[in-house]
Amino acid sequence: PDGPHRSAETLCEVAYPPRAAAFLRDRGIEVTTKPQGLRISTHYYNAESDVDTCVAALTDYCRESRETA
């Protein structure tokens, strides 16, 4: 719904979702694993810096995953 109480969910396709979730959890980022990847939920209490931190951590995970593949 629109308005001040709306939230968002994003499904991010990653290799090895459980490993990716653990990688993010180690950095204080909570996500939910799905067969295709990670569900990332944001809400009104998340700051833009929270999203930036999550994107940076996902970038690090993808880079490290490629290096170890």
Side-chain angles (χ1 to χ4, degrees), residues 10-69:
T10 302
L11 182 62
C12 185
E13 186 177 349
V14 295
Y16 312 108
R19 190 183 314 161
F23 185 91
L24 294 178
R25 235 177 259 114
D26 288 346
R27 287 150 183 79
I29 302 166
E30 292 295 327
V31 296
T32 304
T33 58
K34 298 292 181 186
Q36 314 88 323
L38 302 175
R39 182 183 62 140
I40 303 168
S41 299
T42 57
H43 213 301
Y44 69 92
Y45 50 78
N46 290 109
E48 190 172 329
S49 62
D50 295 327
V51 176
D52 292 340
T53 299
C54 185
V55 170
L58 281 169
T59 300
D60 291 344
Y61 173 76
C62 291
R63 185 177 302 118
E64 287 185 23
S65 292
R66 279 193 305 265
E67 291 172 0
T68 59

Side-chain angles (χ1 to χ4, degrees), residues 1-8 43-44:
D2 289 334
H5 302 291
R6 69 182 190 178
S7 64
H43 213 301
Y44 69 92

